[in-house]
Structures are given as C-alpha cells and as structure tokens.
Amino acid sequence: MVCPLCNATGWKTVVLEGERRVTRCDCWRQASTARRRGDARIPRRYQHCDFAGYLTYGNESLERALASARGLLQRYPVAERGLFLLGPPGVGKTHLAVAVLRQLVEDKGARGLFYDTRELLRLIRSTYDPVVRETERDVLRPVMTADVLVLDDLGAEKTSEWVDETLNLIVNTRYSEKRLTLFTSNYVDDPDPSLTESLLFRIGVRMRSRLHEMCEFLDLDGADYRELPPNGGEDDLVALWRMKRHQPAAAPRLPAKATAPLRAKLRESARSSPAPDLKWPGGRAGTR
C-alpha cells in the first residue's frame, strides 16, 4: 500500500513557522530501521531481547551490568569503550548484549552486527572453497566497519594459529578505529596463564590486553534462565540463585510443571538462605 503522506517518495511536506518544508516521512524511517535490524543478523532466538525483559531479581552483578549497558547507550555515539560480559551459561549475557545492539540500531540509527564467534569463523573459512562466490573480504568488511559489533561466546572456538590470527585481525582493526564492540564469554578472566579454563588461556595475552582497553569487563553470576520451567517467574529465579550456593555440583531444576506448594517451598527456602557470594570456575566450549 502506497503511503498517503509521501506517495512512496520517502518525503513529506510539513509546515514550520508558517513555511512549507519537506522532511523524511515516517514510513521511510520505519523501513530504514527495519533494514538495519535485518542487517544486524540477530538470531531469531534473541530477537525479542530487550531491557524490559532482562530480570535482575535483586542480583547485584546483573544490576551492575544492566546499569553499565544503559550508561553506554546514554553516552553513544561518544562511548569509547564497549562491554565484555563474562559468566556461566544462562545468566543473560547474550540477552543483555542483544538488548544494547537492538536499541543502538533502532533508536540511535547505528549500523550493528551480531555474530556467534564460531559461526563467524566458519563463514570466513567457507570463503576458501572455490565454489563459494563470497570472498573473505566480503565477510570481514562489515565486521570491521559496523558501528557496533557483538561477538558472542568468545573463547568457545577451537584454537589454532589461523583462528588466533583471524580474531586478532578483527579485534585490532576495531581497536585501532575505536569502533564499539561487545563480547560475551563463558570463561573467567583470570591473569594466571596456567589456568586452562580462563579467557587468557583461550585467547592469549595480546588480545586480552587489547580487550581490557576496548571494553568494561563485567562478571555476571546468578541463576540459569534455562533451568526455569515454562511457568517459572522471577521468584523462581531468586530461589534457584540462592539454592545454587548449597548445591554446587548440580544446580536445582524445577519440574516442567511445578506445583504451587513446591514453588512456595522453594521460595521459602530462598528467603531463609543467606545471599550467596557466587563464583564460577570458567566455562568450556559449547556450554552456553
């Protein structure tokens, strides 16, 4: 259907201070936002992620991360440092990164891009196949030049000399151009080079140093959202978060159809337990 305001031209007439002028039509702005959102490559599973759906349930680490994300948005486009969200699987790292990306794309007009690190490396590697028409430059150019880039699950990729060189090229280029980048990882940021479950062991000293200058590092810990049953809510997250301290070997899981008495019992147990000082030992590849 042709827009009645602009007749498909993308421009509409307005009257300002008694003078007729033209400005971009609302339909053009909406279409432009939809294009940028599509170009961002946000996976379907995360397309709903926003700040309103990010539950912190009194968890200080999550509240601190949310505050930092909102602060970044307020400073954009002069924000010089991105975010590096670290923590165990299921605490909402990707959710928060996508929420930032979406708002920058939709409200600030930024050109954004989302990639799972392993998927990006697979795509680059596929360009070496002579049958594939897309070149390495075609894949890397938008990754290097996007106003904001989310690299999800850094460190989960299988290490090799080629992987190290490729990731260092991406990080160094965006570092040099001061382009905003957000990362997530399941690996703990520990400076001990002998700790195999650390980010340092996975990505090396040089990249870790660059990342600390590029990003604010934030440790997230709490309940695993994926442990919630379909009918679970914020109270259940609190219960799982508090019980996690007392059952470190196997995180408690609510039944798929938790009964009201059971849910009440879990919440009562949560209230009677002290708030935990949670730590995680780092994640393994593929444990998102």
Side-chain angles (χ1 to χ4, degrees), residues 33 36-37 40 101-110 112:
T33 299
R36 290 196 307 273
R37 190 187 303 118
L101 176 61
R102 279 189 56 193
Q103 194 149 340
L104 288 174
V105 167
E106 296 172 7
D107 298 342
K108 303 287 189 175

Side-chain angles (χ1 to χ4, degrees), residues 191-221:
D192 183 355
S194 66
L195 183 61
T196 58
E197 293 299 310
S198 70
L199 184 66
L200 172 60
F201 189 87
R202 302 293 300 180
I203 66 175
V205 175
R206 182 174 57 175
M207 187 185 298
R208 179 177 178 270
S209 175
R210 286 279 192 269
L211 293 174
H212 268 275
E213 188 171 352
M214 291 173 67
C215 299
E216 176 186 2
F217 273 56
L218 295 164
D219 292 324
L220 284 67
D221 209 344

Side-chain angles (χ1 to χ4, degrees), residues 106-159:
E106 296 172 7
D107 298 342
K108 303 287 189 175
R111 295 177 300 109
L113 197 56
F114 176 100
Y115 266 111
D116 176 276
T117 305
R118 290 163 297 185
E119 172 62 16
L120 174 59
L121 292 170
R122 184 202 64 77
L123 190 59
I124 295 171
R125 192 179 287 111
S126 72
T127 63
Y128 304 154
D129 187 335
V131 178
V132 178
R133 294 187 178 182
E134 198 171 28
T135 67
E136 182 181 35
R137 183 184 295 271
D138 294 332
V139 176
L140 283 175
R141 185 185 295 112
V143 174
M144 305 289 205
T145 61
D147 296 328
V148 55
L149 171 69
V150 172
L151 272 185
D152 194 39
D153 220 4
L154 185 67
E157 65 282 349
K158 185 177 180 181
T159 58

Side-chain angles (χ1 to χ4, degrees), residues 5 7 17 36 45 85 116 143 148 163 190 200 219 237-238 245 265 268:
L5 295 178
N7 197 29
E17 299 178 353
R36 290 196 307 273
R45 181 173 295 277
L85 307 174
D116 176 276
V143 174
V148 55
V163 167
D190 193 302
L200 172 60
D219 292 324
L237 282 172
V238 174
R245 181 184 184 187
K265 183 177 180 181
E268 179 61 30

